[in-house]
Amino acid sequence: MKQTICWFLAFLVLFSGVSLGRSHAAENQEWTNPYLDVNENMWSYQYITELNKADVLPGSEKFEPTQDENRGNLVLYLYNMDQGVFKKREKAAKEKEEMAVPTFTDVEKDSTLYDAVCWAYQQGLVSGATEDTFQPDSLLTREQVCTILARFAALEQIPLIQVTNTDQFKDSLYIQEYARSGVTACQISGVIKGYDNGFFRPEENMSRQEVAAVIYRVMAAASTSIPEGVTLVDLSPGAYDSLYDSYTDIPFTALVPASEEEGPISFFDKAVFIGDSISLTLESYCGASGALGNAQFLCAGSMSPSNMLTGKILPEYPKGSGQKPPIEDSVAACGAKVVYVMLGMDNIAYGLEKSTGDYVTILNNIMAKNPDVQIIVQSVTPMAETSTSFTDKLNNDAINAFNAKMQEICQQNRWYYLNVAEKFKDENGFLILDYCSDKTSMGMHFTYDGAKVWVNYLKYHIPEDLL
């Protein structure tokens, strides 16, 4: 019942915001969408267009909704709202005399941002990036946006209704101290939410359409009638800091342990496998047998992280279309919630720093486009003793070092690490010949028998949190 009431209140907030936007639009019946790249099929269409109608977002030919938002634009939007939508609203604003006009060397007086930056600085919404610079082009993180919006709501005396409980995110303790109350205020008011996998990802950048959405929700809250008996969010500085004293660091072990029971095949219906030629055998076997249900595959021969970043080699998606979009776009189009990745064999010879660095860039690109997905990195499998591909830079020692570094990186980023390689090593650490399809040449690819063992390993190593 409580949850139902909360969602009802959240609906009131959004509904009232629509009314606010429409009342402004009524004053200008000839409004037309100025953005060539914003259309009604976008999830953010209402937020962007209503803010433009309210003269919060400036008009231009392109809004670039998926680009990351910056500091300068955010303070401009809030300044426009303060001077326009909330111009007659009573505020607890500071007098300008209390704080000197900032003299940032990177915001000139003739800049379109100058008045907004001075106002935001004087009202305590933002500070300089350094003593002398504002850095308007610096990108915004989720925790920064929450902090600024909570301060703005307090400045404008906007009542935010508490619509959900103060639940801990898996990474709440990774939120910087200055931002904790702001994040909590935005969380419990429904201005922002965490991801489906339980993370908030405080240091993740926010896109322009995401920032538009949260700004709109704050603007909408200003015209909401407050029902009796509801709890309002405390917007005073540090109001929720004490909550974090009771939060505990949620244990996370990157290495996925074996389970006693076989996981359900249906789990893989929400999974996509990304890999090079080694994974092509797994794709072929699963396509023929249905061993992993409706799992999807984005694989291509010689597809290394470096080749993917340059666009030289990418998997085709949709299959048969001839199209090869960036991997993060293909993952989004798949609708996958779990991403298994095995890459690296074609990069290891470049050295540990570059091979792991490019890999991490690929994974970060996937996460930026698909923040709700969970990453599961599969270890690179060993080479057979009879392989003709051994060099001083590509060998099992180099593979082992690469795998160890990737497991460490997974622990830092809270990505799961699946040690598939352990299932395919003989007593000397080489790829078991019975599982190798090219034992007299490259000595690294799999037979269907090997793929069958691989599938069984996957079924018994599903992260418990994801079931």
Side-chain angles (χ1 to χ4, degrees):
M1 180 64 179
K2 184 175 181 180
Q3 185 178 22
T4 302
I5 293 173
C6 287
W7 281 114
F8 175 72
L9 292 175
F11 172 78
L12 283 178
V13 170
L14 292 178
F15 180 80
S16 64
V18 174
S19 300
L20 183 150
R22 287 176 178 167
S23 65
H24 178 87
E27 299 174 6
N28 184 9
Q29 297 294 333
E30 297 182 358
W31 180 88
T32 56
N33 181 5
Y35 305 119
L36 298 177
D37 54 357
V38 175
N39 60 69
E40 294 182 1
N41 295 323
M42 296 167 50
W43 68 266
S44 57
Y45 177 78
Q46 176 191 359
Y47 305 124
I48 295 170
T49 57
E50 294 294 343
L51 288 176
N52 179 257
K53 291 175 186 178
D55 295 325
V56 173
L57 300 184
S60 60
E61 286 191 356
K62 290 187 177 182
F63 182 69
E64 300 181 325
T66 60
Q67 295 297 311
D68 290 337
E69 192 55 280
N70 62 50
R71 281 164 52 88
N73 283 340
L74 177 59
V75 298
L76 178 62
Y77 304 155
L78 299 182
Y79 177 71
N80 289 342
M81 198 183 304
D82 176 85
Q83 297 296 301
V85 179
F86 298 149
K87 189 171 184 178
K88 296 181 181 180
R89 192 178 184 87
E90 291 186 10
K91 309 178 181 80
K94 300 176 182 177
E95 294 294 333
K96 287 190 176 182
E97 289 74 20
E98 292 182 14
M99 186 176 294
V101 175
T103 55
F104 296 127
T105 59
D106 53 355
V107 182
E108 301 291 340
K109 287 188 177 182
D110 59 353
S111 168
T112 56
L113 297 176
Y114 181 77
D115 288 342
V117 170
C118 289
W119 165 82
Y121 181 80
Q122 290 172 328
Q123 301 306 329
L125 299 183
V126 294
S127 58
T130 69
E131 185 175 343
D132 300 319
T133 65
F134 181 75
Q135 297 182 10
D137 294 330
S138 292
L139 302 181
L140 291 161
T141 65
R142 286 165 59 81
E143 65 181 5
Q144 289 171 343
V145 171
C146 288
T147 301
I148 295 170
L149 285 184
R151 291 171 182 170
F152 178 75
L155 169 68
E156 304 290 350
Q157 298 180 352
I158 299 172
L160 299 181
I161 299 173
Q162 181 172 337
V163 298
T164 189
N165 295 325
T166 54
D167 295 328
Q168 179 184 355
F169 296 112
K170 289 183 178 179
D171 53 356
S172 282
L173 294 182
Y174 291 82
I175 299 171
Q176 295 186 65
E177 290 186 9
Y178 80 88
R180 289 178 171 180
S181 279
V183 169
T184 300
C186 290
Q187 173 202 5
I188 63 179
S189 62
V191 169
I192 201 169
K193 68 173 186 176
Y195 296 109
D196 290 344
N197 55 18
F199 289 88
F200 180 72
R201 303 197 182 282
E203 296 182 358
E204 194 86 30
N205 291 335
M206 289 188 72
S207 67
R208 303 196 69 196
Q209 61 184 341
E210 289 172 332
V211 170
V214 295
I215 290 176
Y216 174 80
R217 291 170 188 147
V218 171
M219 184 177 76
S223 62
T224 302
S225 298
I226 309 300
E228 292 185 11
V230 301
T231 301
L232 295 181
V233 175
D234 189 344
L235 294 173
S236 57
Y240 298 102
D241 286 358
S242 61
L243 288 174
Y244 290 77
D245 295 337
S246 61
Y247 289 167
T248 57
D249 194 8
I250 297 176
F252 180 84
T253 301
L255 185 62
V256 179
S259 59
E260 295 182 1
E261 297 182 2
E262 181 179 352
I265 293 179
S266 60
F267 170 80
F268 297 97
D269 292 346
K270 59 182 179 181
V272 62
F273 286 78
I274 298 172
D276 51 26
S277 58
I278 294 174
S279 295
L280 284 173
T281 303
L282 180 66
E283 178 181 4
S284 177
Y285 173 75
C286 290
S289 66
L292 290 180
N294 295 315
Q296 301 179 73
F297 289 83
L298 296 171
C299 303
S302 299
M303 188 172 74
S304 68
S306 297
N307 286 338
M308 296 168 78
L309 290 173
T310 61
K312 182 178 179 181
I313 299 178
L314 286 163
E316 188 179 58
Y317 189 86
K319 299 286 187 183
S321 67
Q323 301 176 27
K324 296 181 179 181
I327 193 66
E328 59 268 23
D329 292 342
S330 294
V331 170
C334 284
K337 292 298 182 183
V338 181
V339 180
Y340 284 85
V341 192
M342 181 189 286
L343 297 167
M345 183 66 82
D346 290 280
N347 253 33
I348 289 175
Y350 293 149
L352 191 60
E353 182 176 352
K354 179 172 177 55
S355 58
T356 58
D358 286 354
Y359 203 152
V360 170
T361 299
I362 289 293
L363 296 179
N364 282 333
N365 289 347
I366 292 173
M367 290 299 303
K369 182 78 174 185
N370 308 271
D372 278 330
V373 304
Q374 182 61 61
I375 299 291
I376 302 178
V377 173
Q378 301 180 87
S379 59
V380 174
T381 47
M383 300 165 66
E385 187 175 12
T386 55
S387 171
T388 60
S389 300
F390 279 114
T391 69
D392 59 342
K393 294 183 179 180
L394 178 59
N395 50 62
N396 284 339
D397 286 340
I399 291 174
N400 291 338
F402 174 84
N403 285 337
K405 182 62 177 179
M406 285 307 303
Q407 182 176 346
E408 178 184 328
I409 290 171
C410 286
Q411 185 69 56
Q412 294 169 353
N413 289 275
R414 296 193 172 221
W415 297 328
Y416 291 104
Y417 181 84
L418 196 57
N419 191 14
V420 175
E422 68 178 349
K423 197 65 179 177
F424 296 104
K425 291 181 179 180
D426 64 17
E427 61 275 12
N428 296 313
F430 295 105
L431 177 61
I432 297 173
L433 289 178
D434 289 345
Y435 299 147
C436 184
S437 64
D438 54 355
K439 62 185 75 174
T440 59
S441 54
M442 297 183 73
M444 60 181 68
H445 297 97
F446 284 85
T447 62
Y448 266 20
D449 284 341
K452 185 176 181 179
V453 173
W454 191 346
V455 164
N456 191 58
Y457 188 90
L458 292 171
K459 290 179 180 178
Y460 277 90
H461 288 78
I462 297 175
E464 185 178 350
D465 287 351
L466 304 184
L467 282 173

